Amino acid sequence: MSDTSAKKPAVLKVENLQAWYGESHILHGMTFDVNEGEVVTLLGRNGAGKTTTLRSIMGIVEARTGVVEINGKSALSVPAHMISPMGIAYCPEERGIYKSLTVRENLMLPPVIAPGGMTVDEIFELFPNIAERLNSGGGNLSGGEQQMLAIARILRTGCRLLLLDEPTEGLAPVIVQAIGRVLKTLKSRGYTILLVEQNFRFAATVADRHYVVEHGQVIDQIANSDIGRESGRLHEYLGI
Amino acid sequence: MDIFGVPIQALLGQVLIGLINGGFYAILSLGLALIFGLLNIINFAHGAVYTAGAFVAWLLLEYLGIGYWGALLFAPGIIALIGIFLEKTLVSQIYRQDHLYGLLLTYGMALIIEGGFRQVYGVSGIPYNLPEALSGGVNLGFMYLPIYRGWVVVVSFVVCILVWYVIERTKLGSTLRAATENPALTKAFGINVPRLITLIYGLGVGLAAFAGVLAAPIYQVNPLMGSNLIIVVFAVVVIGGMGSIMGAILSGFALGVVEGLTKVFYPPASQLVIFIFMAAILLIRPAGLFGRKQ
C-alpha cells in the first residue's frame, strides 16, 4: 500500500491482454506495468508471446482485447498510426530497416511527436557508425548497424517510452556490449524501456525488474536485485 | 538516305509516334505501379480513367468554355477528387481480400465508366481541337515535326521525371516508399498510412487523366481509347517490374519506340511485339527488368 505513493506512475499498463493471429490464440491475459524511468524486461522461451505482446501494444496485431494504457490513455481502441503519438516508440525484433530507403531516410522517417528528442548530432555521438553510412542503402548494413539504426531512429521522435524487441539477438559480443552501453545511457537520461530478451545475463546488466512469460501469460516477477538468488528458478523457466 | 532499305524519314516518323505512345504508356504505367505498390491492387479501371480524363477535357470545353490549358490542370484534378472518393468508399473495402476482388471491383468500375460514355456519346469519337499555340509544325530538315506531337513527348517525359523525383528524392517520397515496403511498421511510427494510400490513388488516377487530356487532340475523345491502350500498359508494367517507378518510365518509352520500329520493319508484328517481350522477360527475369525480388 505504502509503495503506491513512493512509486512513479505507470507509463505503460497492460491488463488481461489477449491476442490472436488468425485462429490461434497467442496471448492469454498478459498483465504487467512499467513505471516511469524503469527498465523492465519480458523474459521467456521462444514462442511464449513476448514479441506478440509488443506487437499488440503497437496495434500491429489488431485482434486483441483487454487493457493497454499509455500515459493513462487507452491504446486499444485507436487506429494503429495514433498509438506512437501517445509517446511510445517501437524497435522490432527483425529491426525493420527499410531496404528501399537510404540510411539517412530511415533515420529521418519516424515523425517527431514530442519535443525533447535527441538531435541528429547526439545520435551520431551515440552511434558513430551511422554517421559514416548515411548515404548507403538500408539493405547494405550489417546486422549490428541495422540494430543501431533501428534504435537510433526512434530516439529522434521525443518518445520517452521505448519498446525494444531482442536488440542483442544474433549480434557479436562486442556489439552486444555497445548496445548495453547505449541502454544504460538511455536509462540514465530517464527513458522508460520495455525490453524483450532471451539473454537474461544481458538483461540483468540493465534492467530493474523482470517478468517471466509463458504460454501468453506473465507467470512470475523477479526484481533485478534478486536475480542472483533466483537464478535457479529462472533457469527452470527459460530452460537454460 | 536509307537504313535497311527504309527511308530515314519513315523511320524517324515511327520513332516519334513510338515516343508519343511511349509517353502515354509511361504515364499510365507509372500510375499503375504506384497504386500497385502501395494499395496492392491492380487497377483495371486505369484505362477507363484515361478515357474519362479526355471526356472531362471535352466537357469542360463544351459546357464551361475551359480550353486545353485549363483542362490540362482541371481534368486531372477533378478525376483525382473522384478517385479519392471512390478509394474511400469502394476500393478501401477490399485491401484485406484476395487480389481477385480488386480485379473484379476495378474491372467493374471500368465497364461502368466506359459503358456510360458509350451510351451517351456513341463510339464514333468526338474531335478535340489542337490548342492554337501548339498547332502547325517545324521542318527539322530530315523530317517534319508536328509541334503538338513534340510537346506530348516533352511534357510526358517531364511529368514522369517530376513524379520520379518526388518519390525518390523527397521526404514525402521516402515516407511513401516506407509505407509500400512495410505498412504495419510505418503505421507503428505514427504515420497515417491510410491517408497516404488515398493520396496515391488520387495521384495515380490524376496522372491517367492527364495522359487522357494529352491524347485528346491526337486520337479524338472516344469511349474505347483507354481499353485499346491498357492491355499494352499492363505488359509495360510487367516488363518494367511491378512497383518500380523508374522501370515503368523507361520501359514505357522504350517499348513505345520498339513498337514504332516494328511498324517500319515488320508491320504485322507491331501489335504483338510488346507481348513477345513480356513473355521473354517473364521467363528470364520474373520480377521484371527493374523489379526487386519479393
Side-chain angles (χ1 to χ4, degrees):
Chain A
M1 289 299 121
S2 61
D3 67 358
T4 43
S5 56
K7 242 191 200 158
K8 290 179 176 174
V11 290
L12 176 65
K13 188 173 133 191
V14 174
E15 239 176 62
N16 192 26
L17 180 63
Q18 316 243 349
W20 292 260
Y21 279 125
E23 295 288 298
S24 34
H25 193 172
I26 308 292
L27 299 186
H28 298 264
M30 290 283 296
T31 299
F32 63 93
D33 47 32
V34 184
N35 300 316
E36 197 181 335
E38 267 190 317
V39 176
V40 171
T41 68
L42 300 180
L43 297 172
R45 300 182 206 206
N46 268 331
K50 307 179 300 288
T51 294
T52 305
T53 303
L54 301 194
R55 292 169 61 91
S56 301
I57 293 169
M58 294 313 296
I60 295 172
V61 173
E62 291 174 357
R64 63 213 203 282
T65 63
V67 175
V68 174
E69 280 180 11
I70 298 164
N71 295 315
K73 288 186 203 129
S74 169
L76 223 56
S77 49
V78 300
H81 67 266
M82 304 286 282
I83 293 174
S84 174
M86 300 169 98
I88 188 168
Y90 171 57
C91 175
E93 184 180 17
E94 71 285 359
R95 286 139 199 169
I97 299 303
Y98 298 91
K99 290 188 186 66
S100 56
L101 273 63
T102 63
V103 170
R104 180 186 277 113
E105 287 171 332
N106 267 288
L107 181 64
M108 304 309 279
L109 179 76
V112 171
I113 62 118
M118 285 191 194
T119 63
V120 173
D121 286 337
E122 283 176 288
I123 287 172
F124 289 163
E125 213 171 292
L126 218 48
F127 304 101
N129 293 14
I130 292 175
E132 293 162 18
R133 304 293 309 262
L134 277 180
N135 295 316
S136 306
N140 298 336
L141 298 182
S142 69
E145 289 170 327
Q146 287 190 21
Q147 188 61 63
M148 303 275 183
L149 178 55
I151 297 175
R153 68 180 168 188
I154 59 175
L155 299 179
R156 259 187 65 254
T157 61
C159 293
R160 303 285 293 166
L161 170 57
L162 311 179
L163 307 188
L164 308 181
D165 197 346
E166 299 213 31
T168 62
E169 191 190 15
L171 299 180
V174 56
I175 297 170
V176 173
Q177 282 169 16
I179 288 176
R181 280 196 298 275
V182 168
L183 294 192
K184 278 173 199 145
T185 307
L186 294 177
K187 187 179 181 183
S188 72
R189 295 194 188 188
Y191 281 83
T192 308
I193 298 173
L194 176 61
L195 183 68
V196 162
E197 261 306 332
Q198 302 237 29
N199 179 350
F200 94 93
R201 279 181 199 82
F202 172 79
T205 62
V206 285
D208 300 304
R209 289 188 291 135
H210 310 272
Y211 288 102
V212 181
V213 183
E214 209 172 280
H215 302 306
Q217 278 177 313
V218 170
I219 55 161
D220 204 350
Q221 186 189 162
I222 300 171
N224 199 51
S225 47
D226 296 338
I227 203 155
R229 204 164 57 226
E230 303 286 1
S231 68
R233 221 161 95 209
L234 256 180
H235 278 266
E236 199 176 306
Y237 287 139
L238 302 177
I240 43 181
Chain B
M1 195 174 74
D2 289 2
I3 294 173
F4 298 123
V6 177
I8 193 153
Q9 279 86 350
L11 197 67
L12 289 172
Q14 284 303 328
V15 169
L16 177 65
I17 292 175
L19 281 174
I20 291 171
N21 284 333
F24 295 139
Y25 296 159
I27 295 181
L28 287 170
S29 55
L30 189 58
L32 271 182
L34 280 173
I35 291 172
F36 178 76
L38 199 57
L39 282 70
N40 219 5
I41 276 184
I42 301 170
N43 187 28
F44 274 82
H46 221 63
V49 173
Y50 162 85
T51 306
F55 267 99
V56 169
W58 179 79
L59 290 169
L60 284 172
L61 181 66
E62 189 73 5
Y63 294 102
L64 297 176
I66 296 174
Y68 178 81
W69 300 106
L72 216 44
L73 193 68
F74 290 121
I78 291 167
I79 295 288
L81 288 179
I82 296 173
I84 284 171
F85 174 75
L86 290 177
E87 192 278 333
K88 284 268 184 213
T89 52
L90 290 177
V91 182
S92 59
Q93 310 293 322
I94 53 164
Y95 292 143
R96 286 154 194 275
Q97 313 288 337
D98 191 81
H99 276 307
L100 209 55
Y101 290 86
L103 188 156
L104 287 173
L105 174 67
T106 55
Y107 188 59
M109 283 160 57
L111 289 179
I112 291 169
I113 296 167
E114 286 176 353
F117 286 129
R118 198 167 169 170
Q119 183 68 27
V120 181
Y121 300 103
V123 287
S124 53
I126 311 165
Y128 187 93
N129 286 337
L130 284 178
E132 224 164 87
L134 299 175
S135 56
V138 234
N139 194 342
L140 297 178
F142 55 89
M143 68 176 287
Y144 178 81
L145 173 71
I147 289 177
Y148 188 76
R149 303 200 161 203
W151 155 257
V152 168
V153 173
V154 171
V155 82
S156 48
F157 185 71
V158 168
V159 165
C160 286
I161 294 304
L162 214 63
V163 173
W164 174 84
Y165 182 84
V166 169
I167 302 290
E168 297 293 338
R169 290 289 182 270
T170 66
K171 172 80 184 169
L172 173 67
S174 64
T175 310
L176 282 171
R177 276 177 283 137
T180 301
E181 189 178 325
N182 190 343
L185 180 63
T186 308
K187 277 188 219 168
F189 285 137
I191 291 167
N192 191 341
V193 174
R195 195 168 61 197
L196 283 177
I197 288 177
T198 306
L199 180 80
I200 278 299
Y201 196 75
L203 175 68
V205 297
L207 281 171
F210 183 82
V213 182
L214 280 183
I218 300 182
Y219 297 125
Q220 300 197 326
V221 179
N222 184 317
L224 299 178
M225 62 194 288
S227 45
N228 294 339
L229 203 62
I230 198 67
I231 302 296
V232 176
V233 171
F234 279 121
V236 170
V237 174
V238 171
I239 292 169
M242 282 281 193
S244 161
I245 303 301
M246 197 40 110
I249 298 172
L250 292 181
S251 34
F253 279 100
L255 289 165
V257 171
V258 166
E259 196 184 40
L261 289 177
T262 314
K263 274 186 195 138
V264 181
F265 291 107
Y266 189 61
S270 64
Q271 300 278 313
L272 199 64
V273 63
I274 287 183
F275 299 99
I276 295 174
F277 259 88
M278 182 180 82
I281 296 289
L282 283 177
L283 284 174
I284 303 164
R285 282 183 64 102
L289 287 178
F290 300 85
R292 288 189 193 92
K293 282 207 185 96
Q294 291 285 315

